[in-house]
């Protein structure tokens, strides 16, 4: 019998709000912060729309902290502090040797790298800040968070593009199950609303070009979807062994019941249209969580609003769940949030956990005409969940063919 | 040519910007690392900003000798001469 792992703290800063409560409220009410990027640096891009964070992390941190951190690290820090406070562990006197951090990003400190390069070219090497490396090293976000909470068991950085956040949850689950740590702070953060990544994603034809109607650009599973809407932010969960949480009388949101991982082995960025890789990861998550398909009542889909990806996911879900798929309430939060890349997995896992905790599934916005090839029950209004023990999964898939699925259960 | 007090005030503004210490706490007898929370990385930022502000050069080899605000003020004063 493996160690049971539960969630005792949540933190998020997203396009919908600067904390978990406002983000959850935004999801339930179907808001979006999608907008046209008016800076002239975006003017010539094929996609000039995005969903910026509702609250600038530089305004939340102290000025001295903010100037040492890349924007993605700022998001990580803001979300981690909220989650840590929410868990009550700040006052619990847990030895640092029992606390781990796993926090990833899709792109990392790219904006700082570009800014410092501009400084190097215009002002010379003397003006390159000594904080450049901590800003651009991929493990920077995890390292700052680890320092902030005093984690000493291990501080690591999963990098799996848009699945990085769920890889962090899976990693934290393993760290606690294996006995390496009692507490794992897991998360993801991303800050890539900048002309370079926007031009690059645009060159891949990955972004929605609905420049004249940004609020309706991200439309997962809808017939008229044409690509994803870039968002930004950070999301962090505090995982804890159930025994440790119980001993200190912690509030528990849900159980992390299991995790599954796979690689498509198909193409560097295109999803396998047969959904074999994502199905493999979903099956593994169910097995790992000791769940039968009919026990899953809710799926928080990865669905980014790209033509190929959404259908490949639906094909995978139908293959795994068979007839039971018709009893599953699916939602795709990227309609409201946009795509938070490396932060998406944890932000959407938080939504999955809160759906179980509050027993209501937030709606998929902008879904006017369900694509005929989807064949799933996708919620377009908030959907109540029944009483009793419930289970849900969160899917996260990343460029590179990474598939990471986390299963959650009510407690 | 800046006076000792002008240099101290200018340096205090820089340390405040980099490390967030209130300017009134940045006095000549204060140690950068022990009193003002200026670590070796932040010290590089202080030095580069001071070079710009006072139009002086502070070689990397010299930085380790600048232990207190007074050391830095005296070095800048001499370099201006």
């Amino acid at each position: 019998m493996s160690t049971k792992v539960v969630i005792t703290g949540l933190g998020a800063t997203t396009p919908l709000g600067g904390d978990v409560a406002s983000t959850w409220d935004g999801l339930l009410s179907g808001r979006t912060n999608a907008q046209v990027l008016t800076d002239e640096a975006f003017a010539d891009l094929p996609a000039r729309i995005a969903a910026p964070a509702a609250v600038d992390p530089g305004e939340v941190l102290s000025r001295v902290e903010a100037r040492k951190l890349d924007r993605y690290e700022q998001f990580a820090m803001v979300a981690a502090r909220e989650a840590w406070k929410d868990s009550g562990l700040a006052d619990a006197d847990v030895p640092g040797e029992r606390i781990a951090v796993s926090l990833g990003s899709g792109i990392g400190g790219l904006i700082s790298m570009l800014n410092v390069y501009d400084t190097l070219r215009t002002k010379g090497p003397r003006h390159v800040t000594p904080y450049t490396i901590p800003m651009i090293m991929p493990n920077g976000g995890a390292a700052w968070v680890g320092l902030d909470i005093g984690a000493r068991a291990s501080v690591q950085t999963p990098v799996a593009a848009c699945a990085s956040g769920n890889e962090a949850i899976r990693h934290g689950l393993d760290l606690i199950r294996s006995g390496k740590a009692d507490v794992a702070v897991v998360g993801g953060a991303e800050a890539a609303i900048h002309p370079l990544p926007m031009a690059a994603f645009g060159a891949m034809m990955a972004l929605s070009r609905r420049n004249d109607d940004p609020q309706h650009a991200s439309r997962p599973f809808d017939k008229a979807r044409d690509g994803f809407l870039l968002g930004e932010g950070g999301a962090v969960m505090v995982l804890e062994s159930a025994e440790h949480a119980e001993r200190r009388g912690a509030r528990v949101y849900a159980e992390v019941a299991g995790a599954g991982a796979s690689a498509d082995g198909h193409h560097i960025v295109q999803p396998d249209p047969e959904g074999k890789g994502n199905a493999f990861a979903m099956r593994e998550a169910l097995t790992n969580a000791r769940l039968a398909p009919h026990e899953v009542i809710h799926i928080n889909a990865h669905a980014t609003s790209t033509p190929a990806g959404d259908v490949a996911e639906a094909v995978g879900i139908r293959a795994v769940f068979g007839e039971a798929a018709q009893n599953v309430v699916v939602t795709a939060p990227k309609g409201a949030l946009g795509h938070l890349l490396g932060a998406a997995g944890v932000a959407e896992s938080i939504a999955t956990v809160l759906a179980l905790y509050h027993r209501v599934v937030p709606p998929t916005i902008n879904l006017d005409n369900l694509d005929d090839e989807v064949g799933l029950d996708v919620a377009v209004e908030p959907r109540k969940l029944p009483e009793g023990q419930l289970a849900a999964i969160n899917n996260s898939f990343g460029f590179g063919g990474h598939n990471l699925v986390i299963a959650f259960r009510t407690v | 040519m800046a006076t000792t007090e002008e240099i101290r005030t200018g340096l205090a503004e820089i340390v405040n910007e980099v490390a967030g210490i209130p300017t009134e706490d940045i006095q000549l007898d204060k140690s950068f690392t022990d009193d003002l929370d200026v670590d070796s990385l932040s010290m590089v930022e202080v030095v580069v900003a001071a070079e710009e502000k006072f139009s002086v050069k502070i070689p990397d080899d010299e930085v380790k000798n600048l232990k207190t605000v007074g050391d830095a003020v005296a070095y800048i004063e001499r370099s201006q001469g």
Side-chain angles (χ1 to χ4, degrees):
Chain A
M1 187 69 197
S2 68
T3 306
K4 183 172 163 182
V5 176
V6 296
I7 300 145
T8 57
L10 303 176
T13 177
T14 72
L16 295 176
D19 57 15
V20 170
S22 51
T23 297
W24 177 244
D25 176 70
L27 285 170
L28 278 183
S29 57
R31 281 194 280 117
T32 167
N33 196 31
Q35 53 192 265
V36 176
L37 301 168
T38 51
D39 190 294
E40 65 177 296
F42 297 98
D44 296 332
L45 299 181
R48 301 181 294 279
I49 50 177
V55 176
D56 184 351
E59 301 290 315
V60 181
L61 301 175
S62 78
R63 180 176 51 78
V64 171
E65 287 174 325
R67 68 196 298 279
K68 294 179 184 175
L69 273 60
D70 180 84
R71 185 171 172 85
Y72 103 86
E73 297 172 337
Q74 295 176 0
F75 283 130
M77 198 73 119
V78 169
R81 283 184 179 164
E82 185 192 1
W84 192 244
K85 184 163 181 249
D86 188 45
S87 73
L89 281 161
D91 308 316
D93 210 19
V94 182
E97 288 71 18
R98 302 300 302 158
I99 304 171
V101 170
S102 182
L103 188 142
S105 179
I107 292 180
L110 175 76
I111 296 176
S112 293
M113 191 188 296
L114 293 167
N115 288 344
V116 175
Y117 188 47
D118 283 345
T119 302
L120 173 64
R121 285 186 301 176
T122 55
K123 300 175 92 175
R126 189 79 174 150
H127 289 269
V128 168
T129 164
Y131 282 98
T132 304
I133 297 299
M135 283 177 183
I136 68 177
M137 61 192 199
N139 54 319
W144 282 116
V145 168
L147 271 176
D148 201 51
I149 63 173
R152 292 197 166 82
S154 91
V155 172
Q156 298 189 23
T157 304
V159 175
C162 307
S164 300
N166 271 8
E167 182 74 291
I169 298 174
R170 174 171 170 268
H171 190 212
L173 178 67
D174 285 348
L175 287 168
I176 295 174
R177 280 179 171 175
S178 71
K180 169 71 178 162
D182 295 319
V183 175
V185 175
V186 299
E190 201 74 66
I193 301 180
H194 177 284
L196 178 63
M198 294 274 299
F201 283 124
M204 299 169 87
M205 313 285 278
L207 296 176
S208 169
R209 300 186 178 194
R210 204 177 276 256
N211 294 311
D212 55 348
D213 187 16
Q215 304 221 326
H216 298 101
S218 184
R219 38 197 317 116
F221 296 130
D222 185 85
K223 274 182 184 164
R225 68 189 182 279
D226 73 329
F228 74 80
L229 176 83
L230 187 58
E232 61 171 0
V236 170
M237 278 183 176
V238 177
L239 311 187
E240 198 169 345
S241 82
E243 194 187 337
H244 193 271
E246 194 174 343
R247 215 164 40 226
R248 68 183 186 90
R251 181 255 332 269
V252 171
Y253 288 101
E255 177 192 359
V256 185
S262 75
D264 267 5
H266 171 74
H267 184 273
I268 190 66
V269 294
Q270 293 291 342
D272 176 357
E274 294 178 34
K276 290 197 294 285
N278 70 54
F280 179 17
M282 281 186 258
R283 282 197 190 97
E284 187 176 82
L286 296 182
T287 306
N288 190 252
R290 297 164 193 253
L291 284 168
H294 73 267
E295 293 177 275
V296 173
I297 194 156
H298 168 46
I299 295 176
N300 186 303
H302 180 67
T304 62
S305 182
T306 58
D310 293 12
V311 168
E313 181 173 12
V315 168
I317 290 171
R318 293 202 311 267
V320 172
F321 288 88
E323 286 187 5
Q326 299 317 312
N327 302 319
V328 175
V329 182
V330 177
T331 196
K334 287 185 182 73
L337 280 169
H339 193 345
L340 271 58
L341 306 182
V346 179
E348 295 170 14
S349 282
I350 288 174
T352 314
V353 166
L354 288 177
L356 291 179
Y357 189 69
H358 295 299
R359 294 183 188 265
V360 58
V361 172
T364 305
I365 72 165
N366 298 330
L367 176 49
D368 298 329
N369 294 294
L370 186 67
D371 187 325
D372 300 330
E373 292 180 65
V374 172
L376 296 170
D377 177 14
V378 184
V380 294
E381 294 291 336
R383 194 83 70 82
K384 281 204 167 13
L385 295 176
E387 295 302 308
Q389 190 172 71
L390 305 178
I393 64 170
N394 173 258
N395 286 342
S396 245
F397 312 139
F399 283 159
H402 313 283
N403 304 301
L404 273 301
V405 178
I406 312 294
F408 300 98
R409 197 159 25 214
T410 52
V411 287
Chain B
M1 187 75 68
T3 66
T4 304
E5 181 52 21
E6 282 166 352
I7 295 171
R8 188 201 63 79
T9 310
L11 206 54
E13 284 165 7
I14 292 170
V15 173
N16 172 265
E17 173 69 23
V18 170
I21 308 292
T23 49
E24 61 270 24
D25 293 350
I26 301 164
Q27 299 298 334
L28 294 178
D29 61 337
K30 297 288 184 186
S31 155
F32 286 110
T33 48
D34 299 339
D35 301 323
L36 302 178
D37 206 21
V38 177
D39 65 14
S40 60
L41 296 188
S42 298
M43 191 63 191
V44 175
E45 295 193 297
V46 169
V47 165
V48 172
E51 286 184 331
E52 202 152 63
K53 190 162 205 154
F54 301 110
S55 304
V56 296
K57 283 278 167 235
I58 307 175
D60 290 346
D61 289 349
E62 198 59 48
V63 175
K64 63 178 183 302
N65 299 325
L66 308 180
K67 298 200 186 310
T68 65
V69 175
D71 294 341
V73 170
Y75 187 88
I76 292 165
E77 227 173 351
R78 282 201 305 279
S79 306
Q80 284 183 326

